[in-house]
Amino acid sequence: MMPDGQPPTACVLIIGNEILSGRTQDTNLGYIGQRCDALGIRLTEARVISDDETAIITHLNECRARFTYVFTTGGIGPTHDDITSATVAKAFGVALCRNADAVAALERYYEPGMLNEARLRMANVPAGARLIDNPVSGAPGFQLQNVFVLPGVPLIMQAMFEGIVDRLAGGPEILTASVTTDVLEGAMAKELGVIQDQFPDVSIGSYPWFRHGALGVNLVLRGTAAGRITTARGAIENMIARLGGHVLRVAERNGE
Amino acid sequence: MMPDGQPPTACVLIIGNEILSGRTQDTNLGYIGQRCDALGIRLTEARVISDDETAIITHLNECRARFTYVFTTGGIGPTHDDITSATVAKAFGVALCRNADAVAALERYYEPGMLNEARLRMANVPAGARLIDNPVSGAPGFQLQNVFVLPGVPLIMQAMFEGIVDRLAGGPEILTASVTTDVLEGAMAKELGVIQDQFPDVSIGSYPWFRHGALGVNLVLRGTAAGRITTARGAIENMIARLGGHVLRVAERNGE
């Protein structure tokens, strides 16, 4: 929890033209979102921006002032289009420096003679940054104040995210449950709204699905009190029975 | 092209807690990104925000002032958590009105007796809005000035997007080519940067891949002049040969 008693918040900045063009499908947001739930951090926003210095500086400075944590993904490789590290330094108004520990990590990863100047660029981090270990491919990320700079390749990002978990102050875990039914949204919307009003501390989302010619709805409950989620789930299952429908599947993640 | 000779720009506002929690994987951004490329519209930003009135109003008003077009996805169904239409009306400072054409569309879609009050809510749109036809499931989206309000379900969103294409002023199509190689990023970064400097009108992106134990890079070229992309692609293929690597695959989308 934060000193003011509010749960911490987070924003993800996805940096990369390839996501905006549709060439690459981002999966990092979903991963970070699930981890934030478990850590009790409210991930309430994400932005996808291009590899553009002005865009990165503007959004980073706006978001780091508004959120407890900002996670960036992408743009920390060795090529000309990898401008995240240098641009984060500019956004903070600090110098970009070659970091000795980062150089050592690269030296451990690369075969002798392979660590050329382009690869050494990946050891340049903003002054004052704390490195984030990369157990997969050597080149580290870094943390500067409340900003965590991570790579875009999902498997590497995920491995590095686990290395920063102990630097994050969390809150109560956000628990979820879901009920899948063949009752359609329009048929239950009124009654579902009444249940939502009865459980203001449980966020109930309604998501229609279309599969193999069948239609239905996935109802997702989110909150921090396991008992309240279970009770609200019971109310939803009763509603489905009253409407003559079926509960096709129930899932609950109660933090155990 | 816009009156000032600049190509039009766009932003996608993805509205939905389920995307932020990682429960649902967004695919709408990629679709809209690819369509914008073909239409010559520069999609330079996307934001993922929660189903929260203040968040929607703040981001919508900021983005509609900054971009030629804003496309929103999500939150226009019949349930309590579908607040996009009412909130867009508030953001524009106009009333939310029941639209007779939207009611007629719903009446055509639903079996007699199935069009209840919850479903009729989907006919409520901001005053002055122009409807966007939904050929899949009846409930329309709408356009208000430069904002296009679309649903979250991908197949429905895609069908409705095609219905607004003739309302969008485009620019020169953004063409792409890609070269897949087994040369690693760090091995070619310096030479690739030289090529990028020689082709400032072609954006060259470098994306590492890891598959079946093999490593390599996908180089993506983007621009509006087909000849320049082809020439830059030739320079890249020559570079790969000089470095002793292989061109594994070439793809070019030249607008034909």
Side-chain angles (χ1 to χ4, degrees):
Chain A
M1 300 286 279
M2 297 290 98
D4 61 2
Q6 292 297 308
T9 60
C11 173
V12 176
L13 273 190
I14 300 164
I15 302 169
N17 297 336
E18 74 280 17
I19 310 292
L20 289 164
S21 72
R23 180 168 283 273
T24 300
Q25 170 70 56
D26 171 73
T27 59
N28 289 328
L29 174 58
Y31 183 87
I32 296 174
Q34 291 179 352
R35 296 297 289 119
C36 282
D37 270 7
L39 295 165
I41 296 168
R42 277 159 216 267
L43 178 62
T44 56
E45 191 176 315
R47 301 186 185 190
V48 188
I49 60 177
S50 54
D51 301 298
D52 173 83
E53 187 176 289
T54 304
I56 296 172
I57 291 174
T58 303
H59 289 287
L60 182 67
N61 282 342
E62 192 178 318
C63 293
R64 70 189 178 95
R66 284 184 41 218
F67 295 90
T68 315
Y69 302 115
V70 176
F71 305 105
T72 80
T73 64
I76 61 170
T79 51
H80 64 277
D81 55 334
D82 291 307
I83 65 169
T84 298
S85 300
T87 307
V88 170
K90 284 190 185 176
F92 277 87
V94 301
L96 187 74
C97 305
R98 183 144 302 176
N99 181 291
D101 292 332
V103 172
L106 292 171
E107 284 172 342
R108 282 192 300 274
Y109 179 75
Y110 286 100
E111 301 286 325
M114 300 301 285
L115 185 53
N116 60 18
E117 182 54 33
R119 287 175 170 138
L120 276 169
R121 268 189 69 215
M122 295 191 286
N124 294 348
V125 301
R130 178 177 172 192
L131 295 186
I132 299 172
D133 187 45
N134 176 346
V136 180
S137 57
F142 60 86
Q143 171 190 357
L144 195 55
Q145 297 176 20
N146 61 335
V147 175
F148 296 82
V149 175
L150 299 164
V153 177
L155 285 176
I156 306 176
M157 191 289 295
Q158 292 169 19
M160 289 170 69
F161 191 91
E162 296 315 309
I164 59 171
V165 163
D166 62 3
R167 306 185 195 178
L168 305 172
E173 178 173 5
I174 297 161
L175 308 172
T176 66
S178 66
V179 178
T180 305
T181 177
D182 54 0
V183 179
L184 300 186
E185 279 199 311
M188 67 173 148
K190 188 178 166 188
E191 292 207 45
L192 189 66
V194 172
I195 295 174
Q196 175 67 87
D197 289 343
Q198 288 167 346
F199 293 87
D201 53 335
V202 177
S203 155
I204 304 175
S206 169
Y207 308 107
W209 51 263
F210 307 82
R211 261 195 303 274
H212 312 304
L215 302 177
V217 176
N218 198 28
L219 297 165
V220 178
L221 300 87
R222 292 164 56 79
T224 54
R228 292 284 289 169
I229 292 179
T230 302
T231 310
R233 179 165 66 75
I236 285 174
E237 291 180 43
N238 289 340
M239 170 196 75
I240 290 169
R242 269 199 311 280
L243 294 171
H246 301 88
V247 173
L248 303 177
R249 186 167 174 275
V250 171
E252 191 151 338
R253 198 183 77 213
N254 61 7
E256 284 163 14
Chain B
M1 299 287 280
M2 296 291 98
D4 61 1
Q6 291 297 307
T9 59
C11 172
V12 176
L13 273 189
I14 300 164
I15 302 169
N17 298 335
E18 74 279 17
I19 309 292
L20 289 164
S21 72
R23 179 167 285 272
T24 300
Q25 171 69 56
D26 171 72
T27 59
N28 289 327
L29 174 58
Y31 183 87
I32 296 174
Q34 290 179 355
R35 296 297 289 117
C36 281
D37 270 6
L39 294 164
I41 296 169
R42 276 157 216 269
L43 178 62
T44 55
E45 191 175 314
R47 300 185 186 191
V48 188
I49 60 177
S50 54
D51 301 298
D52 174 83
E53 187 176 289
T54 304
I56 296 171
I57 292 175
T58 303
H59 288 286
L60 182 66
N61 282 342
E62 191 177 320
C63 292
R64 70 190 178 95
R66 284 184 41 218
F67 295 90
T68 316
Y69 302 116
V70 176
F71 306 105
T72 79
T73 65
I76 62 170
T79 52
H80 64 278
D81 56 334
D82 290 307
I83 64 169
T84 299
S85 300
T87 307
V88 169
K90 285 191 187 176
F92 277 87
V94 301
L96 187 74
C97 305
R98 184 144 301 176
N99 182 291
D101 292 333
V103 172
L106 292 170
E107 285 172 340
R108 281 193 300 275
Y109 179 75
Y110 286 101
E111 301 286 325
M114 299 302 285
L115 186 53
N116 60 19
E117 182 53 33
R119 286 176 170 138
L120 276 168
R121 267 189 70 216
M122 295 191 286
N124 295 346
V125 302
R130 179 178 172 192
L131 295 186
I132 299 171
D133 187 45
N134 175 346
V136 180
S137 58
F142 61 86
Q143 171 191 357
L144 195 56
Q145 296 175 20
N146 61 334
V147 175
F148 297 82
V149 175
L150 299 165
V153 177
L155 285 176
I156 306 176
M157 190 289 295
Q158 292 169 19
M160 291 171 69
F161 191 91
E162 296 314 310
I164 58 171
V165 163
D166 62 4
R167 305 185 195 177
L168 305 171
E173 178 174 4
I174 297 160
L175 308 172
T176 65
S178 65
V179 179
T180 306
T181 178
D182 54 0
V183 179
L184 300 186
E185 278 199 311
M188 67 173 146
K190 187 178 168 190
E191 292 206 46
L192 189 66
V194 172
I195 295 174
Q196 175 66 86
D197 289 342
Q198 288 166 347
F199 293 87
D201 54 336
V202 177
S203 155
I204 304 174
S206 169
Y207 309 108
W209 51 262
F210 306 85
R211 264 195 302 274
H212 310 305
L215 302 177
V217 176
N218 198 27
L219 297 166
V220 178
L221 300 86
R222 292 164 56 80
T224 54
R228 291 285 288 170
I229 291 179
T230 302
T231 309
R233 179 165 66 74
I236 285 173
E237 292 180 42
N238 288 340
M239 170 196 74
I240 290 168
R242 269 199 310 280
L243 294 171
H246 301 88
V247 174
L248 303 177
R249 185 169 175 274
V250 170
E252 190 151 342
R253 198 182 76 211
N254 61 7
E256 286 163 15

